[in-house]
Amino acid sequence: DIQMTQSPSTLSASVGDRVTITCRASQSLTNWLAWYQQKPGKAPRLLIYKASILEGGVPSRFSGSGSGTEFTLTISSLQPDDFATYYCQEYNGPWTFGQGTKVEIK
Amino acid sequence: QVQLVESGGGVVQPGRSLRLSCVASGFTFSNYAMHWVRQAPGRWPEWVAFISVDGGNYYYADSVRGRFTIARDNFKNTLSLQMNSLRPEDAATYYCVREARSDFYRSHFDHWGQGALVTVSS
């Protein structure tokens, strides 16, 4: 099975900060990777798919990059609504999720 | 708009069964592959089961294979998950999830239901 490792597990940041989350896969995914945002008590929400394609309605401050085994999610200027947990997910194999990165207020 | 509404969650004793349902609306259900994904408290999401657009293909996570059965009714726009021989580690919120259409053989998840909570406890 494919293993997905996110870092960091927790990130403390302030409004306006540039934030980067990394996701590493145990084998190449080409670019079959998605990012989701989840807030407490809610279902995950799709942000990015195919590593870098922004889902409709998602603010342009979110961006994704990478290919193969290393990927990043960047929030260019953190907004109050962005404090949440973020998950990467591969779909080259059995739809495995990373363990999550919680973005909290510094 | 796309809506996925789960029902059937609840408290069940270990070894017993439970059936989850999901009613889909706002899109042509028969055109989309569907999944169940679960998330235990404080944990990351875990994919559970997949079913193809016509119901002819299905896959399961190793942790549930042989105990859970995914099914769909394209006339009633419903997805179901029959869960047998439940274990304490099956306790989670179960989400009904739509797989985005793609030219690739697999795709990401573009819509999620609100979830159904399953508690397994004696």
Side-chain angles (χ1 to χ4, degrees), chain B:
Chain B
Q1 71 283 19
V2 172
Q3 280 201 302
L4 300 167
V5 180
E6 301 96 337
S7 61
V11 180
V12 61
Q13 293 180 326
R16 304 299 291 264
S17 298
L18 202 63
R19 182 183 179 88
L20 302 180
S21 295
C22 169
V23 176
S25 61
F27 65 103
T28 303
F29 181 69
S30 58
N31 286 349
Y32 289 84
M34 298 295 295
H35 299 254
W36 287 98
V37 175
R38 69 185 181 184
Q39 188 172 27
R43 304 278 290 178
W44 52 94
E46 176 191 16
W47 169 75
V48 172
F50 155 92
I51 190 165
S52 60
V53 294
D54 62 359
N57 290 294
Y58 35 83
Y59 313 131
Y60 298 96
D62 290 345
S63 57
V64 307
R65 189 176 298 116
R67 299 187 299 123
F68 290 12
T69 303
I70 189 171
R72 67 188 297 160
D73 184 332
N74 285 343
F75 295 103
K76 296 182 178 179
N77 292 347
T78 59
L79 178 73
S80 65
L81 185 69
Q82 178 65 42
M83 303 184 292
N84 297 334
S85 302
L86 281 161
R87 305 167 179 169
E89 57 264 35
D90 294 319
T93 296
Y94 284 73
Y95 294 102
C96 169
V97 180
R98 190 180 86 169
E99 180 177 320
R101 299 182 74 178
S102 169
D103 292 336
F104 190 54
Y105 80 118
R106 294 186 179 194
S107 191
H108 56 281
F109 300 159
D110 63 354
H111 288 278
W112 299 59
Q114 86 287 352
L117 181 62
V118 173
T119 302
V120 183
S121 174
S122 54

Side-chain angles (χ1 to χ4, degrees), chain A residues 69-90:
Chain A
T69 61
E70 187 155 334
F71 302 86
T72 59
L73 172 70
T74 300
I75 309 172
S76 60
S77 178
L78 198 66
Q79 299 301 300
D81 190 49
D82 302 337
F83 292 98
T85 300
Y86 294 84
Y87 297 99
C88 61
Q89 177 212 28
E90 61 81 17

